Amino acid sequence: MPDVNSELSTDSKQKLVSDMKVVVSHAEELLRATAGVADEKMNDLRERIGQSLRDAKLRLADAEGAVVDKTKAAARATDDFVHENPWRAVGVAAVVGLLLGAVISRR
């Protein structure tokens, strides 16, 4: 089975973490809104959802940490490349700037 972490880009992971935070927030809000309901089935459901939310928060924190670590690693690699190849980095930046300028000027 392929590793999902290696298949998702950092941007995709950041979006997933952001979306999951929204879902967790909404689920917590739902739990608070139903706190006054004293039905036994509702209490069981709230307990299961509460446990799932605690687990999801832990996994979310791990995923967020992984995104931060990968972003820092990419920044370090870029910094190392620029320090080892300053003129090449300047050339690449110039070409990218020219291409962006050409694309923007066509609009």
Side-chain angles (χ1 to χ4, degrees), residues 28-96:
E28 287 174 332
E29 187 177 334
L30 178 63
L31 284 177
R32 284 190 298 275
T34 60
V37 179
D39 183 56
E40 184 177 329
K41 287 183 181 180
M42 185 60 90
N43 287 336
D44 290 343
L45 180 60
R46 266 197 304 272
E47 181 59 36
R48 286 187 308 206
I49 291 173
Q51 182 60 45
S52 295
L53 281 172
R54 287 186 288 277
D55 293 344
K57 283 182 180 180
L58 289 173
R59 286 192 301 270
L60 239 141
D62 290 343
E64 192 170 23
V67 167
V68 168
D69 290 344
K70 287 193 179 215
T71 302
K72 286 180 181 178
R76 276 191 302 274
T78 302
D79 187 53
D80 291 344
F81 175 80
V82 170
H83 284 287
E84 292 170 7
N85 306 291
W87 290 111
R88 185 183 283 176
V90 169
V92 168
V95 169
V96 169

